[in-house]
């Protein structure tokens, strides 16, 4: 199909662009006439679910987004928080689900590229990449191919641009068989007085296009991301963009060099919906108009039409408003880095986006209604009903705890992810001080004693069983992981992946998760500063598990106080903070041992989470704790054995459990718990401090020898557990 | 010691190298841009890690033809010290200053992992602060680190003690399992015959502080200072 501007706008064409009758009528009203084809394309991408958040924004507005540390909340390219000393951390997480399913390497790679641009466009040097990945079940024929391609794509891009990929999470579940999730997060650092925003200003100021040339790739990517998958989705392969990390690296350096001068008025990356969304957001944000001469747009292919140029999602491009007269100075920087630099237009006072091409006006749209009058839907939704509690009496105890531990730790849910991490350069920039495999990744703030702790989390099986608790849990899990390294959790970004919002039960899952997140953010004083929504994650009518992935960021004021999950020496005392009630509903135990996914997730007491988090952090800050690990997937024994594997040291433990069936105690996933390892001389002091803080704490045993021993239950060499832990994924991918 | 770091488009370990050299020599190295045809008079030039020119064509191939590298080759031919780490090593083999080539890792995957290395020869400008046969831990992160040379060249490297670092197990044995990337003779780093040019895949500049997980990289840089002072 050619996208010639001189075609008649028919009902069929409007429908093909994913616009409803009401939306079409609104376009006629805004323009006072029929749109041209280019205009129709622009409206369709701007009003796509992906760009307009039309189904979600009503509910997103309820999330807490302010706080002492928040400098810029949602609405900018990324969230900005204060980390002291005039410095800021800038971060966001974003999905690239549909492209990654169709073309895993390029889909994942460009996902990383896109989120990097969201962060450096604000003036930050990216310092850490994270990700949250969900694949179908291991037995699904596509899973190996997708896992392999996605991991290679993330590595291929991140390694080349020289930003360390420091951690993430990976789940397998059949609900993702036809719709994997690839969520990428970038964290950057900037000086607070050097933060760049996107609102354009200054009538007559030049609008400059920099970066790669525009090709025909990715046209309608945003529209694809706003529709369900079907058998024919493979045909959409041409809508997947192709990444060039080499150009991205040059673009980062060139933009940061330009940002160190005073030439920039505003800057915006070209992400989803490319030149269209970047220009509309900049113009409407500043209440101005843009006049573009599309003949000036650097083009990779011959004969490109205005429609194609405006909708292309070619990667590694930015739009910049310069101060008047600075074009030549700015161009020098981009010449040095061998990047295209073209003045494609100027700012006007018309409030319109006016596009000319070969001497003709091909589009003339008022930007304010295009950006602000995008539809907002209150989609029908039903309050989700949590699954019934699972009775522990209905769950069998293992015949042999040694075997059960090995089976659990060797399962795809709990096994080592080192096959993945080793493909990511986690150390480039030489500031990574906690590598993948711990509770949170920790990256030093270059040249200071401070460090950022970062964690991405979500347990979709909890969200499916009870969206409210699941949403709460995802937030709390990052809070615990960040606390466990000794950092103060400051703020989160979210990446909300759900099915088709036009189905009330899916919309109910979305609303439920938001309700849970909201409560957790409020009590923990842990606001949302940026995020992304990905809906229509369905294939042939079957939705994914609700997956609100959360990326948390915390601050360690003194990075020398950081702890890891690894006990430091024999003789240390192992203690458990928090109460163990033996909750097995929606647990890994019933999944791995019984192949069931039943029951409600464990309840969360937010005040208790806060108290325990504060206690752990204060004791780490006083250097009273040698190692710390939160208890999560798989329960107490999994957390303990993970600590033993990391240190290579054994443990001699005894569980003083009288209250609940032993297998529930051992594998239950009760919340609010941490395991700490403490020098023997600090043990009594720590107990007293816990008592003063009204925190439940108990001794479990000591660090000793080479075997992992729980009296009467488990006696295995740490080496054996390690071997089992390391086996599944490398065998699966071999 | 005066030093300089050469930057190519998409070098990405240049800052790490600058930090390490500044810390160890007390003086900030100069930066050479790939398009510069003249370079400053320094004792040591470092070619850093990264993906120069995107690793397009072949890792290091295009960088090896840049104007600054011509001047770097002259520096080496005058006996100036020259090190290439990771992508820098790839560039050095592409220039012919060091023999052999770096192919795709045997696993065909990028590998980021702490590598255990044996210091095979400590009588060099780059290793005199290590003990002979010392085992050191140095982070590796590369896709194309699989060292290849034909039997004749390998024989010469071995005979002349030009193999400086080898991937080994914790007993110091150059086993297949310890061989991170499939390199011939488990080679992680080599030196030219004259002893002034060294290339290695692992990154000593990433292990100079305890907080980075180790400090075995320090002695590498200290050795260079020693050699200049002796």
């Amino acid at each position: 199909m050619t996208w010639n501007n001189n075609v008649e706008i028919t009902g069929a064409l409007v429908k093909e662009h994913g616009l409803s009758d009401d939306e079409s009528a609104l376009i006629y009203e805004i323009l006072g006439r029929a749109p041209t084809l280019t205009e129709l394309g622009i409206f369709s991408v701007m009003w796509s679910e992906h760009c307009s958040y039309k189904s979600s924004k009503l509910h997103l507005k309820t999330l807490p987004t302010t706080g002492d540390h928040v400098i810029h909340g949602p609405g900018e390219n990324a969230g900005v928080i204060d980390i002291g000393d005039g410095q800021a951390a800038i971060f966001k997480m974003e999905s690239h689900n549909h492209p990654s399913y169709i073309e895993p390497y390029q889909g994942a790679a460009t996902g990383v590229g896109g989120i990097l641009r969201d962060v450096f466009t604000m003036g930050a040097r990216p310092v850490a990449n994270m990700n949250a990945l969900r694949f179908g079940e291991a037995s699904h024929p596509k899973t190996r191919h997708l896992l392999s391609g996605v991991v290679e794509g993330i590595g291929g891009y991140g390694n080349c641009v020289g930003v360390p990929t420091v951690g993430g999470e990976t789940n397998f579940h059949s609900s993702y068989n036809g719709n994997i999730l690839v969520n990428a997060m970038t964290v950057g650092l900037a000086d607070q007085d050097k933060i760049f925003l996107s609102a354009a200003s200054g009538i007559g100021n030049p609008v400059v296009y920099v970066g790669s040339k525009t090709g025909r790739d990715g046209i309608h990517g945003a529209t694809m991301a706003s529709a369900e998958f079907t058998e024919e989705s493979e045909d959409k392969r041409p809508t997947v963009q192709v990444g060039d990390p080499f150009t991205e690296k040059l673009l980062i350096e060139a933009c940061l060099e330009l940002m160190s001068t005073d030439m920039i008025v505003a800057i915006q990356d070209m992400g989803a919906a490319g030149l269209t969304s970047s220009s509309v957001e900049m113009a409407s944000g500043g209440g101005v108009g843009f006049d573009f001469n599309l003949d000036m747009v650097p083009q990779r292919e011959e004969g490109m039409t205005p429609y194609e140029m405006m909708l292309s999602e070619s990667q590694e491009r930015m739009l910049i408003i310069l101060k008047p007269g600075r074009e030549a100075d700015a161009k020098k920087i981009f010449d040095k880095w061998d990047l295209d630099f073209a003045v494609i237009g100027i700012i006007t006072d018309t409030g319109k986006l006016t596009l000319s091409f070969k001497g003709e006006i091909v589009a003339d749209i008022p930007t304010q209604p295009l950006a602000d009058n995008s539809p907002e839907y209150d989609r029908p939704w039903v309050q989700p009903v949590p699954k019934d509690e699972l009775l522990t009496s209905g769950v069998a105890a293992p015949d042999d705890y040694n075997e059960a531990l090995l089976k659990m730790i060797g399962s795809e849910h709990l096994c080592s992810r080192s096959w993945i991490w080793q493909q990511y350069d986690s150390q480039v920039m030489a500031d990574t001080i906690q590598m993948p495999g711990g509770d949170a990744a920790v990256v030093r703030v270059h040249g200071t004693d401070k460090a950022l702790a970062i964690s991405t989390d979500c347990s979709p099986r909890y969200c499916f069983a009870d969206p409210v608790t699941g949403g709460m849990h995802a937030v709390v899990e990052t809070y615990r992981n960040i606390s466990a390294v000794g950092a103060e959790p400051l703020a989160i970004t979210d990446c909300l992946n759900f099915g088709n919002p036009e189905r009330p039960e899916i919309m109910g899952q979305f609303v439920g998760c938001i309700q849970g997140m909201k409560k957790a953010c409020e009590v923990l004083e842990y606001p949302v500063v940026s995020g992304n929504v990905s809906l229509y994650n369905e294939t042939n009518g079957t939705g994914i598990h609700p997956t609100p992935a959360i990326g948390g960021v915390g601050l360690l004021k003194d990075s020398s106080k950081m702890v890891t999950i690894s006990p430091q020496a024999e003789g240390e005392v192992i203690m458990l903070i928090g109460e163990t009630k033996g909750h097995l509903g929606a647990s890994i135990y019933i999944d791995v041992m019984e192949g069931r996914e039943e029951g409600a997730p464990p309840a969360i007491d937010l005040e208790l989470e806060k108290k325990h988090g504060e206690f752990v952090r204060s004791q780490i800050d006083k250097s009273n704790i040698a190692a710390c690990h939160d208890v999560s997937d798989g329960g107490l024994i999994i957390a303990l054995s993970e600590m033993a594997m990391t240190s290579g040291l054994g443990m001699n433990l005894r569980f003083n459990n009288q209250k609940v069936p032993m297998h529930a105690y051992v594998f239950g996933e009760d919340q609010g718990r941490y395991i700490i390892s403490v020098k023997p001389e600090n043990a009594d002091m720590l107990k007293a401090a816990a008592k003063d803080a009204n925190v439940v704490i108990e001794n479990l045993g000591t660090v000793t020898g080479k075997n992992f021993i729980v009296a009467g239950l488990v006696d295995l060499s740490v080496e054996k557990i390690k071997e089992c832990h390391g086996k599944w994924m490398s065998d699966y991918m071999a | 010691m005066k030093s300089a770091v050469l930057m190519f488009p998409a070098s990405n370990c240049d800052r790490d190298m600058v930090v390490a050299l500044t810390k160890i020599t007390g003086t900030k190295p100069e930066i050479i841009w790939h398009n510069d045809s003249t370079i400053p008079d320094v004792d040591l030039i470092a070619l850093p890690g990264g993906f120069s020119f995107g690793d397009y064509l072949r890792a290091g191939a295009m960088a090896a033809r840049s104007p600054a590298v011509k001047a770097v080759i002259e520096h080496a031919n005058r006996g100036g010290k020259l090190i290439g780490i990771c992508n820098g090593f790839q560039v050095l083999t592409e220039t012919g200053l060091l023999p052999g080539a770096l192919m795709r890792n045997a696993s065909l995957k990028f590998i980021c992992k702490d590598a255990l290395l044996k210091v095979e020869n400590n009588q060099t400008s780059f290793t005199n602060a290590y003990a002979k046969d010392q085992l050191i831990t140095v982070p590796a992160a590369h896709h194309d680190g699989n060292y290849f040379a034909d039997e004749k060249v390998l024989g010469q490297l071995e005979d002349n003690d030009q193999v400086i670092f080898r991937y080994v197990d914790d007993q110091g044995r150059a086993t297949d399992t310890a061989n991170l990337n499939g390199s011939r003779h488990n080679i992680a780093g080599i030196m030219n015959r004259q002893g002034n040019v060294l290339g290695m895949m692992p990154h000593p500049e990433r292990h100079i502080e305890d907080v980075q997980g180790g400090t075995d990289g320090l002695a590498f840089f200290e050795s260079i200072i020693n050699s200049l002072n002796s």
Side-chain angles (χ1 to χ4, degrees):
Chain A
M1 171 157 199
T2 55
W3 300 105
N4 195 313
N5 212 39
N6 304 318
V7 298
E8 192 192 347
I9 306 301
T10 61
L13 194 59
V14 169
K15 205 162 174 226
E16 199 183 310
H17 279 77
L19 290 160
S20 70
D21 291 346
D22 289 348
E23 289 164 359
S24 168
L26 194 54
I27 294 173
Y28 278 77
E29 195 186 311
I30 289 170
L31 294 176
R33 58 174 166 79
T36 65
L37 181 66
T38 305
E39 289 170 336
L40 183 69
I42 289 173
F43 273 101
S44 84
V45 289
M46 284 305 295
W47 289 2
S48 69
E49 188 66 57
H50 191 78
C51 291
S52 73
Y53 295 88
K54 58 190 168 190
S55 302
S56 60
K57 60 185 166 188
L58 185 70
H59 304 284
L60 294 176
K61 284 177 198 164
T62 63
L63 290 168
T65 58
T66 55
D68 291 346
H69 298 282
V70 179
I71 297 175
H72 290 292
E76 288 300 334
N77 282 301
V80 183
I81 58 169
D82 184 353
I83 57 164
D85 310 308
Q87 294 177 304
I90 301 185
F91 59 96
K92 188 181 178 185
M93 179 155 45
E94 205 165 64
S95 62
H96 229 213
N97 305 334
H98 289 80
S100 300
Y101 182 76
I102 296 177
E103 177 59 59
Y105 185 97
Q106 291 299 342
T110 52
V112 174
I115 194 65
L116 280 165
R117 283 192 298 283
D118 272 333
V119 168
F120 75 75
T121 194
M122 296 197 71
R125 177 170 285 282
V127 296
N129 281 334
M130 296 280 290
N131 53 69
L133 312 176
R134 324 281 160 187
F135 297 97
E137 60 200 327
S139 59
H140 191 270
K142 276 201 151 179
T143 302
R144 279 181 80 237
H145 158 72
L146 291 168
L147 174 60
S148 165
V150 165
V151 169
E152 220 171 310
I154 290 173
Y157 207 99
N159 298 343
C160 179
V161 295
V163 176
T165 302
V166 293
E169 57 164 356
T170 306
N171 292 157
F172 299 91
H173 188 272
S174 58
S175 76
Y176 307 106
N177 280 352
N179 194 130
I180 62 170
L181 302 183
V182 174
N183 298 169
M185 175 177 175
T186 294
V187 183
L189 287 169
D191 289 337
Q192 289 176 20
D193 57 3
K194 276 278 181 196
I195 290 170
F196 293 82
L197 304 179
S198 64
S201 65
I203 308 303
N205 279 352
V207 183
V208 177
Y209 168 123
V210 299
S212 289
K213 294 186 198 312
T214 296
R216 288 193 171 92
D217 52 331
I219 292 174
H220 278 301
T223 316
M224 173 181 75
S226 308
E228 276 184 41
F229 262 5
T230 62
E231 303 291 345
E232 286 79 47
S233 294
E234 291 281 331
D235 300 342
K236 294 191 174 158
R237 198 179 293 268
T239 60
V240 178
Q241 314 85 334
V242 177
D244 177 6
F246 171 58
T247 301
E248 179 100 336
K249 170 68 174 164
L250 304 185
L251 195 57
I252 294 176
E253 299 305 332
C255 287
L256 290 176
E257 197 172 323
L258 184 69
M259 285 162 170
S260 69
T261 71
D262 64 347
M263 294 188 236
I264 300 176
V265 175
I267 178 165
Q268 167 84 31
D269 67 300
M270 296 192 215
L275 194 49
T276 290
S277 74
S278 56
S279 55
V280 172
E281 279 165 29
M282 292 184 92
S284 69
V288 296
F290 280 170
D291 250 355
F292 282 175
N293 177 359
L294 295 179
D295 300 319
M296 303 305 289
V297 171
Q299 293 158 50
R300 198 168 61 213
E301 298 172 50
E302 281 179 18
M304 288 191 68
T305 65
Y307 180 98
E308 289 167 333
M309 277 186 249
M310 292 307 289
L311 269 64
S312 161
E313 290 192 6
S314 290
Q315 300 289 292
E316 295 96 22
R317 302 178 299 161
M318 313 283 281
L319 204 57
I320 304 174
I321 312 295
L322 287 177
K323 288 184 182 166
R326 306 304 294 274
E327 294 91 326
D329 291 336
K331 186 170 185 299
K332 262 185 215 155
I333 294 174
F334 288 87
D335 283 348
K336 171 183 162 191
W337 292 99
D338 287 325
L339 293 167
D340 269 300
F341 176 101
V343 178
I344 62 167
I346 55 162
I347 298 187
T348 65
D349 60 1
T350 62
K352 285 179 165 187
L353 180 65
T354 308
L355 308 177
S356 65
F357 177 66
K358 296 196 171 155
E360 266 179 58
I361 304 285
V362 293
D364 191 28
I365 312 175
T367 60
Q368 214 77 48
L370 174 57
D372 299 346
N373 294 9
S374 61
E376 175 173 324
Y377 297 130
D378 184 1
R379 302 242 189 232
W381 57 278
V382 288
Q383 183 71 36
V385 181
K387 285 194 183 177
D388 292 336
E389 284 293 340
L390 179 76
L391 295 175
T392 305
S393 56
V395 182
D399 298 332
D400 180 330
Y401 278 85
N402 285 328
E403 279 175 28
L405 170 57
L406 294 177
K407 188 171 177 186
M408 293 274 288
I409 207 117
S411 72
E412 71 266 40
H413 305 299
L414 297 173
C415 72
S416 167
R417 268 56 178 147
S418 61
W419 183 90
I420 296 176
W421 312 322
Q422 286 183 0
Q423 296 184 54
Y424 303 149
D425 190 341
S426 52
Q427 300 169 1
V428 62
M429 300 183 92
D431 280 318
T432 309
I433 58 174
Q434 186 151 168
M435 309 290 169
D439 278 334
V442 183
V443 175
R444 193 164 49 171
V445 176
H446 192 66
T448 75
D449 293 331
K450 295 185 292 189
L452 299 177
I454 314 159
S455 182
T456 54
D457 295 287
C458 179
S459 289
R461 64 184 195 283
Y462 288 0
C463 298
F464 183 67
D466 177 358
V468 179
T469 304
M472 210 184 286
H473 169 267
V475 175
V476 165
E477 183 70 36
T478 67
Y479 181 88
R480 272 201 300 264
N481 281 330
I482 288 169
S483 297
V485 301
E488 185 191 357
L490 294 182
I492 62 170
T493 180
D494 59 33
C495 190
L496 308 173
N497 310 271
F498 290 81
N500 181 348
E502 293 161 40
R503 288 169 40 198
E505 68 277 17
I506 300 287
M507 202 57 211
Q509 291 175 342
F510 181 78
V511 176
C513 284
I514 295 259
Q515 290 167 346
M517 287 168 55
K518 174 178 189 288
K519 269 190 209 159
C521 291
E522 281 169 356
V523 175
L524 302 174
E525 296 169 79
Y526 194 33
V528 181
V529 294
S530 59
N532 162 249
V533 179
S534 171
L535 301 175
Y536 297 96
N537 289 291
E538 303 216 353
T539 304
N540 298 329
T542 311
I544 57 161
H545 269 11
T547 313
I550 304 296
V553 174
L555 178 68
L556 260 159
K557 288 200 176 94
D558 179 355
S559 59
S560 69
K561 289 185 174 160
M562 175 192 83
V563 299
T564 69
I565 73 169
S566 176
Q568 299 295 300
E570 291 207 41
E572 283 177 7
V573 180
I574 298 290
M575 295 180 178
L576 171 64
I577 289 169
E579 214 178 329
T580 302
K581 298 172 187 160
H583 189 101
L584 288 174
S587 67
I588 299 277
Y589 181 79
I590 62 159
D591 183 340
V592 172
M593 302 302 284
E594 306 197 342
R596 295 195 284 162
E597 285 179 61
E598 290 164 34
I604 294 174
D605 178 338
L606 291 167
E607 293 294 345
L608 193 81
E609 292 288 351
K610 194 173 180 194
K611 186 166 74 174
H612 289 182
E614 283 169 356
F615 177 74
V616 165
R617 297 197 301 268
S618 72
Q619 294 305 316
I620 293 173
D621 188 55
K622 290 174 188 152
S623 301
N624 290 341
I625 291 179
C628 181
H629 189 14
D630 88 308
V631 181
S632 59
D633 286 356
L636 185 58
I637 203 153
I638 297 300
L640 288 161
S641 54
E642 285 167 348
M643 295 176 81
M645 284 189 287
T646 310
S647 65
L649 299 171
M651 290 182 184
N652 197 344
L653 309 167
R654 176 178 296 280
F655 292 162
N656 308 305
N657 163 43
Q658 312 288 332
K659 288 185 245 167
V660 298
M662 190 50 96
H663 63 298
Y665 183 90
V666 169
F667 297 108
E669 297 183 2
D670 309 287
Q671 301 291 293
R673 295 183 298 165
Y674 298 82
I675 300 163
I676 56 175
S677 186
V678 176
K679 281 185 190 159
E681 61 267 30
N682 288 339
D684 287 341
M685 178 178 61
L686 222 110
K687 272 192 166 166
K691 204 177 162 204
D692 288 347
N694 204 14
V695 166
V696 175
I697 193 165
E698 61 178 309
N699 261 18
L700 294 181
T702 53
V703 176
T704 180
K706 291 283 171 202
N707 275 26
F708 180 78
I709 300 166
V710 183
L713 298 176
V714 173
D715 188 347
L716 289 166
S717 74
V718 174
E719 229 15 75
K720 172 82 189 164
I721 303 174
K722 237 175 155 165
E723 184 194 314
C724 195
H725 185 239
K727 201 169 156 39
W728 188 86
M729 200 175 285
S730 48
D731 284 1
Y732 179 66
M733 296 309 295
Chain B
M1 178 174 90
K2 285 190 291 181
S3 62
V5 176
L6 174 48
M7 252 183 99
F8 301 103
S11 289
N12 64 28
C13 302
D14 45 298
R15 188 186 79 176
D16 307 353
M17 183 60 79
V18 168
V19 169
L21 285 170
T22 308
K23 180 184 162 80
I24 294 152
T25 68
T27 315
K28 207 171 168 189
E30 297 194 47
I31 301 291
I32 305 171
W33 185 238
H34 69 108
N35 267 336
D36 297 346
S37 44
T38 56
I39 57 172
D41 181 23
V42 292
D43 304 307
L44 170 75
I45 294 175
L47 311 191
F51 287 73
S52 58
F53 296 91
D55 272 3
Y56 297 146
L57 186 58
R58 265 191 328 271
M62 290 198 262
R65 273 97 193 145
S66 59
V69 167
K70 283 202 184 78
V72 166
I73 293 171
E74 287 163 18
H75 162 91
N77 289 340
R78 286 194 301 270
K81 303 262 186 296
L82 173 61
I83 56 173
I85 308 297
C86 200
N87 190 227
F89 186 14
Q90 294 160 345
V91 176
L92 289 178
T93 59
E94 285 286 341
T95 59
L97 283 173
L98 291 174
L102 292 146
M103 308 193 301
R104 282 279 138 92
N105 295 340
S107 65
L108 301 181
K109 300 206 178 301
F110 189 95
I111 299 171
C112 176
K113 199 178 177 181
D114 281 353
L116 194 60
L117 306 181
K118 185 173 174 180
V119 180
E120 294 284 355
N121 177 355
N122 73 334
Q123 304 294 311
T124 80
S125 302
F126 310 100
T127 52
N128 56 63
Y130 293 109
K132 165 105 174 93
D133 294 340
Q134 188 178 338
L135 300 190
I136 58 172
T137 303
V138 185
H142 55 251
H143 201 292
D144 299 341
N146 181 355
Y147 182 77
F148 177 86
D150 61 26
E151 287 305 325
K152 188 177 157 210
V153 170
L154 285 170
Q156 287 167 351
L157 289 173
E158 297 288 359
D159 291 346
N160 300 325
D161 290 328
Q162 286 171 253
V163 176
I164 308 302
F165 299 110
R166 236 189 276 272
Y167 303 109
V168 294
D169 66 9
D170 55 7
Q171 305 298 310
R173 296 170 302 202
T175 60
D176 285 346
T177 346
N179 193 359
L180 197 68
N181 48 27
S183 289
R184 289 293 171 101
H185 294 204
N186 286 45
I187 286 173
I190 57 170
M191 191 175 71
N192 66 347
R193 185 75 194 271
Q194 295 72 25
N196 65 324
V197 180
L198 175 133
M200 66 190 291
M201 288 312 296
H203 292 267
E205 79 279 9
R206 291 187 187 181
H207 261 189
I208 56 167
E209 287 181 75
D210 281 323
V211 71
Q212 294 166 327
T215 54
D216 283 349
L218 280 176
F220 175 76
F221 296 100
E222 284 160 3
S223 300
I224 303 174
I225 297 178
N226 292 343
S227 75
L228 290 166
N229 293 342
S230 64

